[in-house]
Amino acid sequence: MPKKAEPELLNHDFGFASDRDLDEKIAAHRAAHEASTGQRLAMHARRPLGAGKVRITFRVVEAPRGKR
């Protein structure tokens, strides 16, 4: 049985004041990445870096068929 390929992962650090602020920054980052590269991102992991800072790891996912 063939092994599944390792996902392509990208890290990005965010500074934020509130959860809503972080959600907006993540959405903006995902939209900008998709617009510039054509790749869609899904959240893979979240690591706190201290007060008001977090490192988000995204994985590149395939766009749904018919949406390209």
Short mmCIF file of all heavy atoms in Angstrom, two decimals:
data_model
loop_
_atom_site.label_atom_id
_atom_site.label_comp_id
_atom_site.label_asym_id
_atom_site.label_seq_id
_atom_site.Cartn_x
_atom_site.Cartn_y
_atom_site.Cartn_z
N MET A 1 0.84 -1.17 0.00
CA MET A 1 0.00 0.00 0.00
C MET A 1 0.90 1.24 0.00
O MET A 1 1.77 1.39 0.86
CB MET A 1 -0.87 -0.04 1.25
CG MET A 1 -1.91 1.01 1.30
SD MET A 1 -2.94 0.62 2.73
CE MET A 1 -4.34 1.55 2.34
N PRO A 2 0.70 2.19 -0.95
CA PRO A 2 1.57 3.36 -1.02
C PRO A 2 1.35 4.30 0.16
O PRO A 2 0.25 4.43 0.67
CB PRO A 2 1.18 4.03 -2.33
CG PRO A 2 -0.13 3.48 -2.70
CD PRO A 2 -0.27 2.16 -2.02
N LYS A 3 2.47 4.92 0.59
CA LYS A 3 2.38 5.88 1.69
C LYS A 3 1.77 7.19 1.20
O LYS A 3 1.99 7.59 0.05
CB LYS A 3 3.75 6.17 2.26
CG LYS A 3 4.30 5.09 3.12
CD LYS A 3 5.55 5.58 3.80
CE LYS A 3 6.00 4.58 4.83
NZ LYS A 3 7.18 5.05 5.56
N LYS A 4 1.04 7.84 2.09
CA LYS A 4 0.47 9.14 1.78
C LYS A 4 1.58 10.19 1.82
O LYS A 4 2.44 10.15 2.70
CB LYS A 4 -0.61 9.47 2.80
CG LYS A 4 -1.45 10.63 2.44
CD LYS A 4 -2.61 10.76 3.42
CE LYS A 4 -3.53 11.85 2.99
NZ LYS A 4 -4.66 12.00 3.89
N ALA A 5 1.58 11.11 0.88
CA ALA A 5 2.61 12.14 0.82
C ALA A 5 2.50 13.07 2.03
O ALA A 5 1.41 13.34 2.52
CB ALA A 5 2.45 12.94 -0.46
N GLU A 6 3.63 13.55 2.49
CA GLU A 6 3.66 14.50 3.59
C GLU A 6 3.03 15.81 3.13
O GLU A 6 3.29 16.27 2.01
CB GLU A 6 5.10 14.76 4.04
CG GLU A 6 5.74 13.58 4.73
CD GLU A 6 5.11 13.29 6.08
OE1 GLU A 6 4.78 14.23 6.81
OE2 GLU A 6 4.93 12.10 6.37
N PRO A 7 2.23 16.44 3.98
CA PRO A 7 1.61 17.71 3.57
C PRO A 7 2.65 18.83 3.50
O PRO A 7 3.64 18.82 4.23
CB PRO A 7 0.60 17.99 4.68
CG PRO A 7 1.11 17.26 5.86
CD PRO A 7 1.82 16.04 5.32
N GLU A 8 2.42 19.77 2.61
CA GLU A 8 3.27 20.95 2.52
C GLU A 8 2.82 21.91 3.62
O GLU A 8 1.66 22.30 3.68
CB GLU A 8 3.11 21.61 1.15
CG GLU A 8 3.98 22.81 0.95
CD GLU A 8 3.81 23.43 -0.42
OE1 GLU A 8 3.21 22.81 -1.31
OE2 GLU A 8 4.29 24.57 -0.58
N LEU A 9 3.73 22.29 4.52
CA LEU A 9 3.41 23.12 5.67
C LEU A 9 4.08 24.48 5.56
O LEU A 9 5.22 24.60 5.11
CB LEU A 9 3.85 22.44 6.97
CG LEU A 9 3.24 21.07 7.25
CD1 LEU A 9 3.84 20.49 8.53
CD2 LEU A 9 1.73 21.16 7.38
N LEU A 10 3.34 25.51 6.00
CA LEU A 10 3.85 26.88 6.03
C LEU A 10 3.57 27.47 7.40
O LEU A 10 2.47 27.31 7.94
CB LEU A 10 3.14 27.73 4.97
CG LEU A 10 3.19 27.22 3.54
CD1 LEU A 10 2.23 27.99 2.66
CD2 LEU A 10 4.60 27.35 3.01
N ASN A 11 4.54 28.17 7.98
CA ASN A 11 4.37 28.82 9.29
C ASN A 11 4.22 30.32 9.10
O ASN A 11 4.84 30.91 8.21
CB ASN A 11 5.58 28.57 10.19
CG ASN A 11 5.70 27.14 10.60
OD1 ASN A 11 4.74 26.53 11.03
ND2 ASN A 11 6.88 26.58 10.46
N HIS A 12 3.40 30.92 9.97
CA HIS A 12 3.26 32.38 9.98
C HIS A 12 3.01 32.82 11.41
O HIS A 12 2.18 32.23 12.11
CB HIS A 12 2.12 32.82 9.06
CG HIS A 12 2.11 34.29 8.82
ND1 HIS A 12 2.93 34.89 7.91
CD2 HIS A 12 1.39 35.28 9.39
CE1 HIS A 12 2.71 36.19 7.92
NE2 HIS A 12 1.78 36.46 8.82
N ASP A 13 3.71 33.87 11.85
CA ASP A 13 3.54 34.40 13.19
C ASP A 13 2.58 35.59 13.14
O ASP A 13 2.68 36.44 12.24
CB ASP A 13 4.88 34.85 13.77
CG ASP A 13 5.84 33.69 13.95
OD1 ASP A 13 5.39 32.53 13.92
OD2 ASP A 13 7.04 33.95 14.14
N PHE A 14 1.69 35.65 14.11
CA PHE A 14 0.70 36.72 14.20
C PHE A 14 0.79 37.38 15.57
O PHE A 14 0.97 36.70 16.58
CB PHE A 14 -0.72 36.16 14.04
CG PHE A 14 -1.03 35.60 12.70
CD1 PHE A 14 -0.88 34.24 12.46
CD2 PHE A 14 -1.49 36.40 11.67
CE1 PHE A 14 -1.17 33.69 11.23
CE2 PHE A 14 -1.78 35.86 10.43
CZ PHE A 14 -1.63 34.51 10.21
N GLY A 15 0.63 38.69 15.60
CA GLY A 15 0.42 39.43 16.84
C GLY A 15 -1.04 39.84 16.84
O GLY A 15 -1.59 40.21 15.80
N PHE A 16 -1.69 39.78 18.00
CA PHE A 16 -3.11 40.08 18.03
C PHE A 16 -3.52 40.65 19.39
O PHE A 16 -2.83 40.44 20.39
CB PHE A 16 -3.94 38.82 17.72
CG PHE A 16 -3.76 37.71 18.71
CD1 PHE A 16 -4.66 37.53 19.75
CD2 PHE A 16 -2.69 36.83 18.62
CE1 PHE A 16 -4.49 36.50 20.67
CE2 PHE A 16 -2.51 35.81 19.54
CZ PHE A 16 -3.42 35.64 20.57
N ALA A 17 -4.64 41.37 19.39
CA ALA A 17 -5.16 41.97 20.61
C ALA A 17 -6.32 41.17 21.18
O ALA A 17 -6.56 41.18 22.38
CB ALA A 17 -5.60 43.41 20.34
N SER A 18 -7.06 40.47 20.30
CA SER A 18 -8.21 39.68 20.74
C SER A 18 -8.38 38.49 19.79
O SER A 18 -7.76 38.45 18.72
CB SER A 18 -9.49 40.53 20.73
OG SER A 18 -9.83 40.89 19.40
N ASP A 19 -9.22 37.54 20.18
CA ASP A 19 -9.47 36.39 19.31
C ASP A 19 -10.08 36.82 17.99
O ASP A 19 -9.76 36.27 16.93
CB ASP A 19 -10.39 35.38 20.00
CG ASP A 19 -9.67 34.60 21.09
OD1 ASP A 19 -8.43 34.57 21.08
OD2 ASP A 19 -10.36 34.02 21.95
N ARG A 20 -10.95 37.80 18.03
CA ARG A 20 -11.58 38.30 16.79
C ARG A 20 -10.51 38.91 15.87
O ARG A 20 -10.52 38.68 14.67
CB ARG A 20 -12.65 39.33 17.13
CG ARG A 20 -13.36 39.85 15.93
CD ARG A 20 -14.42 40.85 16.29
NE ARG A 20 -15.08 41.29 15.08
CZ ARG A 20 -16.33 41.57 14.98
NH1 ARG A 20 -17.11 41.47 16.03
NH2 ARG A 20 -16.85 41.97 13.85
N ASP A 21 -9.59 39.68 16.46
CA ASP A 21 -8.50 40.27 15.70
C ASP A 21 -7.66 39.18 15.05
O ASP A 21 -7.29 39.27 13.86
CB ASP A 21 -7.65 41.13 16.63
CG ASP A 21 -6.49 41.83 15.93
OD1 ASP A 21 -6.66 42.28 14.78
OD2 ASP A 21 -5.42 41.95 16.56
N LEU A 22 -7.35 38.12 15.80
CA LEU A 22 -6.57 37.01 15.25
C LEU A 22 -7.32 36.32 14.11
O LEU A 22 -6.73 36.05 13.06
CB LEU A 22 -6.23 35.99 16.34
CG LEU A 22 -5.47 34.75 15.90
CD1 LEU A 22 -4.13 35.12 15.27
CD2 LEU A 22 -5.27 33.80 17.06
N ASP A 23 -8.61 36.07 14.29
CA ASP A 23 -9.40 35.44 13.23
C ASP A 23 -9.37 36.26 11.95
O ASP A 23 -9.25 35.72 10.85
CB ASP A 23 -10.84 35.23 13.69
CG ASP A 23 -10.97 34.18 14.77
OD1 ASP A 23 -10.03 33.37 14.95
OD2 ASP A 23 -12.02 34.17 15.45
N GLU A 24 -9.49 37.58 12.08
CA GLU A 24 -9.47 38.46 10.91
C GLU A 24 -8.10 38.43 10.23
O GLU A 24 -8.02 38.40 9.00
CB GLU A 24 -9.83 39.88 11.32
CG GLU A 24 -11.29 40.05 11.72
CD GLU A 24 -11.60 41.40 12.33
OE1 GLU A 24 -10.66 42.22 12.52
OE2 GLU A 24 -12.78 41.63 12.62
N LYS A 25 -7.04 38.41 11.01
CA LYS A 25 -5.69 38.36 10.44
C LYS A 25 -5.43 37.03 9.73
O LYS A 25 -4.81 37.01 8.67
CB LYS A 25 -4.64 38.61 11.51
CG LYS A 25 -4.61 40.06 11.97
CD LYS A 25 -3.55 40.30 13.00
CE LYS A 25 -3.53 41.77 13.40
NZ LYS A 25 -2.43 42.09 14.29
N ILE A 26 -5.91 35.94 10.31
CA ILE A 26 -5.74 34.62 9.67
C ILE A 26 -6.50 34.59 8.35
O ILE A 26 -5.98 34.13 7.33
CB ILE A 26 -6.20 33.49 10.61
CG1 ILE A 26 -5.21 33.35 11.78
CG2 ILE A 26 -6.32 32.17 9.85
CD1 ILE A 26 -5.68 32.42 12.87
N ALA A 27 -7.75 35.08 8.35
CA ALA A 27 -8.55 35.09 7.12
C ALA A 27 -7.89 35.94 6.04
O ALA A 27 -7.84 35.54 4.87
CB ALA A 27 -9.96 35.59 7.42
N ALA A 28 -7.35 37.10 6.43
CA ALA A 28 -6.68 37.97 5.47
C ALA A 28 -5.42 37.29 4.91
O ALA A 28 -5.15 37.37 3.71
CB ALA A 28 -6.33 39.30 6.12
N HIS A 29 -4.66 36.62 5.77
CA HIS A 29 -3.45 35.92 5.32
C HIS A 29 -3.80 34.80 4.34
O HIS A 29 -3.14 34.66 3.31
CB HIS A 29 -2.69 35.36 6.53
CG HIS A 29 -1.50 34.54 6.15
ND1 HIS A 29 -0.35 35.10 5.64
CD2 HIS A 29 -1.28 33.20 6.19
CE1 HIS A 29 0.52 34.14 5.38
NE2 HIS A 29 -0.03 32.98 5.72
N ARG A 30 -4.82 34.03 4.68
CA ARG A 30 -5.23 32.93 3.79
C ARG A 30 -5.68 33.47 2.43
O ARG A 30 -5.33 32.92 1.39
CB ARG A 30 -6.34 32.12 4.43
CG ARG A 30 -5.86 31.30 5.62
CD ARG A 30 -6.98 30.61 6.33
NE ARG A 30 -7.57 29.61 5.46
CZ ARG A 30 -8.72 28.99 5.69
NH1 ARG A 30 -9.40 29.26 6.78
NH2 ARG A 30 -9.17 28.09 4.86
N ALA A 31 -6.47 34.55 2.44
CA ALA A 31 -6.95 35.13 1.18
C ALA A 31 -5.80 35.69 0.35
O ALA A 31 -5.75 35.49 -0.88
CB ALA A 31 -7.97 36.22 1.48
N ALA A 32 -4.87 36.38 0.99
CA ALA A 32 -3.72 36.93 0.27
C ALA A 32 -2.85 35.82 -0.31
O ALA A 32 -2.38 35.93 -1.45
CB ALA A 32 -2.90 37.82 1.20
N HIS A 33 -2.65 34.76 0.44
CA HIS A 33 -1.83 33.64 -0.05
C HIS A 33 -2.50 32.98 -1.25
O HIS A 33 -1.84 32.69 -2.25
CB HIS A 33 -1.60 32.62 1.06
CG HIS A 33 -0.72 31.49 0.65
ND1 HIS A 33 0.65 31.58 0.68
CD2 HIS A 33 -1.00 30.25 0.18
CE1 HIS A 33 1.16 30.44 0.24
NE2 HIS A 33 0.18 29.61 -0.06
N GLU A 34 -3.82 32.77 -1.16
CA GLU A 34 -4.53 32.14 -2.27
C GLU A 34 -4.50 33.03 -3.51
O GLU A 34 -4.31 32.54 -4.63
CB GLU A 34 -5.97 31.82 -1.89
CG GLU A 34 -6.69 31.05 -2.98
CD GLU A 34 -8.07 30.55 -2.56
OE1 GLU A 34 -8.47 30.75 -1.41
OE2 GLU A 34 -8.73 29.94 -3.43
N ALA A 35 -4.65 34.34 -3.32
CA ALA A 35 -4.64 35.26 -4.46
C ALA A 35 -3.27 35.31 -5.14
O ALA A 35 -3.18 35.40 -6.36
CB ALA A 35 -5.04 36.65 -4.00
N SER A 36 -2.20 35.21 -4.35
CA SER A 36 -0.86 35.33 -4.94
C SER A 36 -0.32 34.02 -5.49
O SER A 36 0.45 34.03 -6.45
CB SER A 36 0.12 35.91 -3.91
OG SER A 36 0.32 35.00 -2.85
N THR A 37 -0.70 32.89 -4.89
CA THR A 37 -0.12 31.61 -5.33
C THR A 37 -1.13 30.63 -5.92
O THR A 37 -0.73 29.66 -6.54
CB THR A 37 0.58 30.89 -4.16
OG1 THR A 37 -0.41 30.54 -3.19
CG2 THR A 37 1.65 31.76 -3.53
N GLY A 38 -2.41 30.85 -5.65
CA GLY A 38 -3.43 29.92 -6.11
C GLY A 38 -3.59 28.71 -5.19
O GLY A 38 -4.37 27.81 -5.47
N GLN A 39 -2.85 28.69 -4.07
CA GLN A 39 -2.92 27.57 -3.13
C GLN A 39 -3.86 27.93 -1.98
O GLN A 39 -3.81 29.04 -1.46
CB GLN A 39 -1.55 27.27 -2.53
CG GLN A 39 -0.53 26.81 -3.51
CD GLN A 39 0.84 26.65 -2.85
OE1 GLN A 39 1.20 27.41 -1.96
NE2 GLN A 39 1.59 25.66 -3.30
N ARG A 40 -4.71 26.98 -1.59
CA ARG A 40 -5.58 27.18 -0.44
C ARG A 40 -4.88 26.66 0.81
O ARG A 40 -4.14 25.68 0.74
CB ARG A 40 -6.90 26.45 -0.65
CG ARG A 40 -7.69 27.05 -1.81
CD ARG A 40 -9.01 26.43 -1.99
NE ARG A 40 -9.82 26.75 -0.81
CZ ARG A 40 -11.03 26.28 -0.61
NH1 ARG A 40 -11.58 25.48 -1.49
NH2 ARG A 40 -11.71 26.60 0.46
N LEU A 41 -5.11 27.33 1.94
CA LEU A 41 -4.48 26.95 3.19
C LEU A 41 -5.53 26.51 4.21
O LEU A 41 -6.61 27.07 4.28
CB LEU A 41 -3.70 28.13 3.79
CG LEU A 41 -2.55 28.67 2.96
CD1 LEU A 41 -1.94 29.89 3.65
CD2 LEU A 41 -1.50 27.62 2.74
N ALA A 42 -5.17 25.51 5.01
CA ALA A 42 -6.00 25.05 6.13
C ALA A 42 -5.12 25.09 7.38
O ALA A 42 -3.92 24.80 7.31
CB ALA A 42 -6.50 23.64 5.89
N MET A 43 -5.71 25.45 8.50
CA MET A 43 -4.94 25.52 9.74
C MET A 43 -4.54 24.11 10.15
O MET A 43 -5.34 23.20 10.15
CB MET A 43 -5.73 26.19 10.85
CG MET A 43 -4.86 26.52 12.04
SD MET A 43 -5.71 27.30 13.41
CE MET A 43 -6.35 28.77 12.67
N HIS A 44 -3.27 23.94 10.50
CA HIS A 44 -2.74 22.64 10.88
C HIS A 44 -2.39 22.59 12.37
O HIS A 44 -2.65 21.61 13.03
CB HIS A 44 -1.50 22.34 10.02
CG HIS A 44 -0.92 20.99 10.20
ND1 HIS A 44 -1.50 19.86 9.68
CD2 HIS A 44 0.20 20.58 10.86
CE1 HIS A 44 -0.76 18.81 10.01
NE2 HIS A 44 0.27 19.22 10.72
N ALA A 45 -1.78 23.67 12.88
CA ALA A 45 -1.38 23.72 14.29
C ALA A 45 -1.29 25.16 14.75
O ALA A 45 -1.15 26.08 13.94
CB ALA A 45 -0.02 23.04 14.48
N ARG A 46 -1.40 25.34 16.07
CA ARG A 46 -1.31 26.66 16.68
C ARG A 46 -0.41 26.56 17.91
O ARG A 46 -0.63 25.72 18.78
CB ARG A 46 -2.71 27.13 17.09
CG ARG A 46 -2.73 28.42 17.84
CD ARG A 46 -4.15 28.79 18.21
NE ARG A 46 -4.14 29.93 19.10
CZ ARG A 46 -5.14 30.76 19.24
NH1 ARG A 46 -6.26 30.56 18.59
NH2 ARG A 46 -5.06 31.77 20.07
N ARG A 47 0.63 27.43 17.95
CA ARG A 47 1.56 27.44 19.08
C ARG A 47 1.63 28.84 19.66
O ARG A 47 1.97 29.79 18.95
CB ARG A 47 2.95 27.03 18.61
CG ARG A 47 3.05 25.57 18.28
CD ARG A 47 4.48 25.23 17.84
NE ARG A 47 4.40 24.23 16.81
CZ ARG A 47 4.43 24.46 15.51
NH1 ARG A 47 4.57 25.65 15.05
NH2 ARG A 47 4.33 23.47 14.65
N PRO A 48 1.34 29.00 20.95
CA PRO A 48 1.48 30.32 21.57
C PRO A 48 2.95 30.72 21.67
O PRO A 48 3.82 29.89 21.93
CB PRO A 48 0.85 30.15 22.95
CG PRO A 48 0.79 28.68 23.19
CD PRO A 48 0.84 27.98 21.87
N LEU A 49 3.22 32.00 21.45
CA LEU A 49 4.59 32.52 21.53
C LEU A 49 4.73 33.54 22.64
O LEU A 49 5.73 34.22 22.73
CB LEU A 49 4.99 33.16 20.20
CG LEU A 49 5.01 32.24 18.99
CD1 LEU A 49 5.32 33.03 17.74
CD2 LEU A 49 6.01 31.13 19.17
N GLY A 50 3.71 33.68 23.46
CA GLY A 50 3.70 34.67 24.53
C GLY A 50 2.41 35.46 24.45
O GLY A 50 1.54 35.19 23.63
N ALA A 51 2.31 36.46 25.28
CA ALA A 51 1.09 37.27 25.33
C ALA A 51 0.87 38.00 24.01
O ALA A 51 1.73 38.73 23.54
CB ALA A 51 1.19 38.28 26.46
N GLY A 52 -0.27 37.74 23.38
CA GLY A 52 -0.63 38.42 22.15
C GLY A 52 0.13 37.97 20.91
O GLY A 52 0.11 38.65 19.90
N LYS A 53 0.78 36.81 20.97
CA LYS A 53 1.54 36.31 19.82
C LYS A 53 1.27 34.82 19.66
O LYS A 53 1.13 34.09 20.64
CB LYS A 53 3.04 36.51 20.01
CG LYS A 53 3.45 37.95 20.11
CD LYS A 53 4.93 38.06 20.36
CE LYS A 53 5.30 39.50 20.61
NZ LYS A 53 6.69 39.63 21.01
N VAL A 54 1.21 34.38 18.41
CA VAL A 54 0.96 32.97 18.13
C VAL A 54 1.61 32.61 16.79
O VAL A 54 1.73 33.46 15.92
CB VAL A 54 -0.56 32.67 18.13
CG1 VAL A 54 -1.26 33.32 16.95
CG2 VAL A 54 -0.86 31.20 18.16
N ARG A 55 2.06 31.36 16.68
CA ARG A 55 2.57 30.84 15.40
C ARG A 55 1.55 29.84 14.89
O ARG A 55 1.22 28.85 15.56
CB ARG A 55 3.92 30.16 15.58
CG ARG A 55 4.42 29.50 14.27
CD ARG A 55 5.85 29.06 14.38
NE ARG A 55 6.66 30.28 14.46
CZ ARG A 55 7.79 30.36 15.16
NH1 ARG A 55 8.26 29.33 15.81
NH2 ARG A 55 8.47 31.50 15.20
N ILE A 56 1.04 30.09 13.69
CA ILE A 56 0.07 29.21 13.06
C ILE A 56 0.78 28.45 11.95
O ILE A 56 1.49 29.04 11.14
CB ILE A 56 -1.12 29.99 12.46
CG1 ILE A 56 -1.80 30.86 13.51
CG2 ILE A 56 -2.11 29.06 11.79
CD1 ILE A 56 -2.55 30.13 14.57
N THR A 57 0.61 27.13 11.94
CA THR A 57 1.12 26.30 10.86
C THR A 57 -0.06 25.96 9.97
O THR A 57 -1.10 25.48 10.44
CB THR A 57 1.76 25.01 11.40
OG1 THR A 57 2.83 25.36 12.29
CG2 THR A 57 2.31 24.16 10.26
N PHE A 58 0.08 26.26 8.69
CA PHE A 58 -0.94 25.97 7.70
C PHE A 58 -0.47 24.82 6.82
O PHE A 58 0.73 24.65 6.62
CB PHE A 58 -1.19 27.18 6.79
CG PHE A 58 -1.72 28.39 7.49
CD1 PHE A 58 -0.86 29.39 7.91
CD2 PHE A 58 -3.07 28.54 7.72
CE1 PHE A 58 -1.33 30.52 8.54
CE2 PHE A 58 -3.56 29.66 8.37
CZ PHE A 58 -2.69 30.66 8.78
N ARG A 59 -1.41 24.05 6.29
CA ARG A 59 -1.07 23.05 5.29
C ARG A 59 -1.76 23.44 3.98
O ARG A 59 -2.85 24.00 3.99
CB ARG A 59 -1.45 21.64 5.73
CG ARG A 59 -2.90 21.35 5.81
CD ARG A 59 -3.17 19.90 6.26
NE ARG A 59 -4.59 19.69 6.36
CZ ARG A 59 -5.36 20.03 7.37
NH1 ARG A 59 -4.84 20.61 8.43
NH2 ARG A 59 -6.65 19.81 7.35
N VAL A 60 -1.10 23.16 2.88
CA VAL A 60 -1.65 23.45 1.56
C VAL A 60 -2.65 22.34 1.23
O VAL A 60 -2.33 21.15 1.38
CB VAL A 60 -0.54 23.53 0.51
CG1 VAL A 60 -1.11 23.72 -0.88
CG2 VAL A 60 0.44 24.64 0.86
N VAL A 61 -3.86 22.72 0.81
CA VAL A 61 -4.90 21.75 0.47
C VAL A 61 -5.36 21.97 -0.96
O VAL A 61 -5.23 23.07 -1.51
CB VAL A 61 -6.11 21.83 1.44
CG1 VAL A 61 -5.70 21.45 2.84
CG2 VAL A 61 -6.73 23.21 1.42
N GLU A 62 -5.90 20.93 -1.54
CA GLU A 62 -6.44 21.01 -2.89
C GLU A 62 -7.74 21.79 -2.88
O GLU A 62 -8.55 21.66 -1.95
CB GLU A 62 -6.73 19.60 -3.43
CG GLU A 62 -5.50 18.77 -3.70
CD GLU A 62 -4.76 19.23 -4.93
OE1 GLU A 62 -5.40 19.68 -5.90
OE2 GLU A 62 -3.52 19.15 -4.90
N ALA A 63 -7.96 22.60 -3.90
CA ALA A 63 -9.23 23.31 -4.04
C ALA A 63 -10.30 22.31 -4.41
O ALA A 63 -10.03 21.32 -5.10
CB ALA A 63 -9.11 24.37 -5.12
N PRO A 64 -11.53 22.51 -3.94
CA PRO A 64 -12.61 21.59 -4.32
C PRO A 64 -12.77 21.57 -5.84
O PRO A 64 -12.59 22.58 -6.51
CB PRO A 64 -13.85 22.18 -3.66
CG PRO A 64 -13.35 23.09 -2.62
CD PRO A 64 -11.99 23.54 -3.05
N ARG A 65 -13.11 20.41 -6.36
CA ARG A 65 -13.26 20.28 -7.81
C ARG A 65 -14.38 21.19 -8.29
O ARG A 65 -15.39 21.33 -7.64
CB ARG A 65 -13.54 18.85 -8.20
CG ARG A 65 -12.34 17.99 -7.93
CD ARG A 65 -12.57 16.58 -8.36
NE ARG A 65 -11.39 15.82 -7.97
CZ ARG A 65 -10.83 14.93 -8.74
NH1 ARG A 65 -11.35 14.63 -9.89
NH2 ARG A 65 -9.76 14.31 -8.34
N GLY A 66 -14.17 21.81 -9.46
CA GLY A 66 -15.15 22.71 -10.03
C GLY A 66 -15.01 24.13 -9.53
O GLY A 66 -15.69 25.01 -9.98
N LYS A 67 -14.12 24.37 -8.58
CA LYS A 67 -13.93 25.71 -8.02
C LYS A 67 -12.63 26.35 -8.51
O LYS A 67 -12.26 27.39 -8.06
CB LYS A 67 -13.89 25.64 -6.49
CG LYS A 67 -15.14 25.10 -5.88
CD LYS A 67 -15.97 26.22 -5.40
CE LYS A 67 -17.23 25.65 -4.77
NZ LYS A 67 -18.06 26.64 -4.20
N ARG A 68 -11.92 25.73 -9.39
CA ARG A 68 -10.64 26.26 -9.87
C ARG A 68 -10.83 27.26 -10.93
O ARG A 68 -11.47 27.48 -11.73
CB ARG A 68 -9.76 25.13 -10.38
CG ARG A 68 -9.32 24.26 -9.25
CD ARG A 68 -8.40 23.20 -9.74
NE ARG A 68 -8.06 22.36 -8.62
CZ ARG A 68 -7.10 21.50 -8.61
NH1 ARG A 68 -6.35 21.36 -9.66
NH2 ARG A 68 -6.86 20.77 -7.56
#
